[in-house]
Amino acid sequence: IQHVHTAGRLGTLRLLTIWKGGVVKGIWRDLLLYLILYAGISIIYRLGFNLDERIKSGFERFCVFMDKFDEYIPLGFILGFYVTQVVNRWWTQVMTIPWLDTLCMNLASYMPGVRMKNTRRLITRYAMLANILTLRRVSTSVVKRFPTYQHLVETGLMTEKEMKKLEQLDKTTEGLHATAWYPIQWAQGSLRKAKDDGSITSDLLFQELQQNLQDISSGNGTLLMYAWVNIPLVYTQLVTIAVHVYFFVTLFSRQYLNPSYYTSYGGEYVYVPPGTANSVNLVGYDDSILDFYVPFFTILQFVFYFGWLKVAETLINPFGEDDDDIDANYIIDRNFQIGYLMVSAEDDDEEPEEDTYGDTIPPASLPHTVSSYKNKEPAPVLPTDNLHLSEQAMMLNNPEHPAFSQLQITTTSPRSSPSLDVKQNHAVIEMIKMKPHDSILNKEEGVSSLPVAKESDQTSSKTSEPDEDIENTKEVTALI
């Protein structure tokens, strides 16, 4: 990523020129050997086998046979699945590496003060020691840096007394089990003493610090588990054999052949010069292939498949000494110094700094430099930002509003569709619910909710209203 800041043609080409960790460095020896073998077989065929037609014809038949069946090796599927599993394991181990930041920040916050400074530093060193003991079991670069416990003592990561405890534990376990958990146990004991003397004021804070130590121990255990239980050896062997056998076959199947041509004459095949009309070769070779001395597409295929295999070989052990392996020594140096810096800070009695913005609210956008302003992006646009509704469409569902006066409820109209039936039924239910409320209002106020009408209309409405209520009640009952 540090070599390509933005996408572009020049950035990609710059990546191709990088030697360390690149595909050329990984496969150039294999590719050179392959080209030497391919060229040697081609020279022997062109110059040596022409002296004997029987040997020449047998070699050509063998090459045609190889070309016919080389696709029977499912190389793409086998290699692709294998590389996918290796990459997943590699990334999981990268994300499992314990970092001391959370533990150290919590120690500084939950155990403040000069009095607890030594305890904070002691717990940090124990956590770091547990991490180093784990990395010594999985990383060749770390075990070369700290081959014995004495080297840890000389670098200040462990005391003589602690070294004797570890050596005694190794004798007890006969060196069969990892002992990275032991320093974590020491750290837990220090936390328990701090809790007992009141330096940790809450059980919740004590539990949080214990959980931080357990997370580090769990990460160490996961790294040890991945180093112990690897991808099954049979699958690694299968992929390696498949790739090498496939390209061994292509040494013959991708050769350009120049078979002899014959024509049928008197029931027998008679040799004729190449290009003679109605002539055929008896080995089954496709003579439409042009003669290229350099197998360009075969070389590309070799680069892709062998490059893929080299990726798996590199990532299968991320703590080795390949170009792209994890620099475990840097992790040790960084964790140790940064951890001590975090827990060694003493209480600051100075007055807190004033807010740089005072009582004002910061602007919506902070200032840009000339360089950054050129690449400034507009504010994000979400799916509904450009959705516009008319004023009528945004009105609330208020029956008293004039906009809804046009919505007529017809309960006796013929049912045209299921959706219309549902709307009508809901309207009827709402109307029935509102009638008791209207009658109560009429009794309280003594004012009829019906508009003033002629005497004849009032008489007819009085006779028709009970019938209407009965029909509505029946319909509601049927709906229920």
Side-chain angles (χ1 to χ4, degrees):
I1 296 177
Q2 65 271 23
H3 301 289
V4 181
H5 302 288
T6 56
R9 192 171 302 171
L10 294 179
T12 304
L13 293 177
R14 190 183 302 115
L15 284 179
L16 297 179
T17 62
I18 299 176
W19 173 259
K20 183 179 180 180
V23 62
V24 179
K25 181 181 179 181
I27 69 169
W28 74 269
R29 294 183 181 86
D30 300 302
L31 180 60
L32 180 61
L33 177 61
Y34 180 82
L35 293 177
I36 290 174
L37 293 175
Y38 183 92
I41 294 173
S42 179
I43 292 173
I44 294 174
Y45 166 72
R46 295 170 186 266
L47 301 180
F49 290 169
N50 284 332
L51 302 178
D52 191 329
E53 180 62 26
R54 184 177 61 84
I55 297 178
K56 176 175 176 292
S57 177
F59 177 80
E60 292 169 347
R61 292 178 185 276
F62 178 75
C63 291
V64 171
F65 174 80
M66 289 291 188
D67 182 59
K68 184 177 180 180
F69 294 102
D70 63 353
E71 298 299 332
Y72 278 37
I73 302 176
L75 187 59
F77 172 76
I78 296 176
L79 187 57
F81 184 78
Y82 179 72
V83 173
T84 300
Q85 299 303 315
V86 171
V87 171
N88 289 336
R89 285 174 50 88
W90 168 77
W91 185 246
T92 302
Q93 293 178 73
V94 170
M95 299 306 294
T96 305
I97 297 174
W99 299 88
L100 305 187
D101 297 42
T102 302
L103 172 65
C104 294
M105 287 188 291
N106 287 342
L107 286 173
S109 298
Y110 302 159
M111 300 171 59
V114 179
R115 187 173 65 88
M116 298 305 300
K117 181 178 179 180
N118 290 334
T119 303
R120 295 195 303 267
R121 291 167 63 96
L122 180 64
I123 295 174
T124 301
R125 182 171 64 82
Y126 285 156
M128 191 69 244
L129 178 59
N131 190 214
I132 294 176
L133 292 178
T134 300
L135 293 175
R136 286 180 71 248
R137 302 294 300 270
V138 301
S139 173
T140 55
S141 61
V142 174
V143 76
K144 288 180 180 179
R145 186 180 184 182
F146 306 108
T148 63
Y149 289 154
Q150 186 61 39
H151 289 80
L152 295 175
V153 174
E154 293 174 358
T155 54
L157 293 167
M158 186 166 54
T159 64
E160 292 284 350
K161 182 178 180 181
E162 293 165 352
M163 183 182 68
K164 293 179 180 179
K165 290 182 179 180
L166 285 175
E167 290 176 344
Q168 182 62 37
L169 183 62
D170 289 338
K171 291 181 180 179
T172 303
T173 61
E174 299 180 358
L176 299 178
H177 310 300
T179 57
W181 56 269
Y182 207 9
I184 297 294
Q185 193 177 62
W186 299 341
Q188 289 177 327
S190 299
L191 281 179
R192 187 173 60 255
K193 291 179 181 178
K195 177 67 171 58
D196 294 338
D197 63 18
S199 299
I200 301 178
T201 59
S202 170
D203 291 339
L204 182 62
L205 302 183
F206 176 74
Q207 182 180 0
E208 180 70 17
L209 292 173
Q210 290 283 5
Q211 185 62 47
N212 295 151
L213 291 174
Q214 291 175 11
D215 291 341
I216 294 175
S217 180
S218 176
N220 292 335
T222 303
L223 292 179
L224 292 172
M225 182 62 66
Y226 271 101
W228 174 38
V229 182
N230 212 319
I231 292 179
L233 178 62
V234 62
Y235 197 14
T236 302
Q237 293 176 340
L238 176 64
V239 172
T240 305
I241 292 173
V243 172
H244 286 82
V245 168
Y246 179 83
F247 284 101
F248 173 79
V249 171
T250 59
L251 288 174
F252 301 95
S253 63
R254 307 297 171 82
Q255 291 286 343
Y256 173 79
L257 303 178
N258 187 19
S260 301
Y261 288 86
Y262 299 87
T263 185
S264 179
Y265 181 77
E268 296 182 356
Y269 285 103
V270 180
Y271 174 79
V272 293
T276 304
N278 299 325
S279 61
V280 296
N281 67 80
L282 301 181
V283 298
Y285 179 69
D286 184 6
D287 52 10
S288 64
I289 300 177
L290 299 178
D291 185 6
F292 289 103
Y293 292 99
V294 179
F296 178 74
F297 288 100
T298 303
I299 293 176
L300 287 180
Q301 193 177 31
F302 186 93
V303 171
F304 297 151
Y305 283 135
F306 257 84
W308 220 357
L309 182 62
K310 290 300 179 181
V311 168
E313 292 177 354
T314 301
L315 299 183
I316 196 170
N317 179 20
F319 295 99
E321 297 179 337
D322 296 320
D323 291 339
D324 288 325
D325 283 338
I326 300 171
D327 189 357
N329 284 314
Y330 168 76
I331 296 175
I332 293 174
D333 296 336
R334 186 264 175 201
N335 276 348
F336 200 40
Q337 186 181 47
I338 298 301
Y340 262 62
L341 286 173
M342 288 181 178
V343 300
S344 298
E346 299 179 0
D347 291 343
D348 193 356
D349 297 332
E350 296 181 2
E351 292 294 330
E353 295 288 342
E354 296 182 359
D355 188 358
T356 56
Y357 282 93
D359 293 334
T360 62
I361 301 298
S365 176
L366 295 176
H368 282 267
T369 63
V370 176
S371 177
S372 67
Y373 190 79
K374 294 178 181 179
N375 299 322
K376 181 182 177 183
E377 296 287 342
V381 179
L382 300 180
T384 60
D385 288 350
N386 295 325
L387 181 63
H388 300 287
L389 299 176
S390 64
E391 183 177 355
Q392 184 176 1
M394 291 187 292
M395 291 181 180
L396 295 177
N397 186 8
N398 184 4
E400 298 179 357
H401 198 279
F404 293 90
S405 62
Q406 300 177 357
L407 301 178
Q408 300 295 331
I409 302 174
T410 307
T411 58
T412 58
S413 58
R415 298 182 179 179
S416 57
S417 64
S419 61
L420 183 59
D421 293 342
V422 174
K423 293 180 179 179
Q424 292 177 351
N425 294 335
H426 284 293
V428 172
I429 295 173
E430 293 296 329
M431 184 178 65
I432 297 302
K433 288 180 178 179
M434 293 174 62
K435 282 187 177 298
H437 178 68
D438 293 341
S439 62
I440 293 172
L441 290 178
N442 294 339
K443 291 179 180 179
E444 292 178 353
E445 299 179 3
V447 180
S448 175
S449 61
L450 297 176
V452 179
K454 295 181 180 180
E455 186 174 356
S456 59
D457 296 336
Q458 292 178 357
T459 304
S460 61
S461 62
K462 289 180 180 179
T463 56
S464 60
E465 191 175 33
D467 297 335
E468 220 175 87
D469 291 342
I470 293 173
E471 293 294 328
N472 293 335
T473 305
K474 288 182 179 180
E475 187 168 355
V476 172
T477 306
L479 290 173
I480 295 174

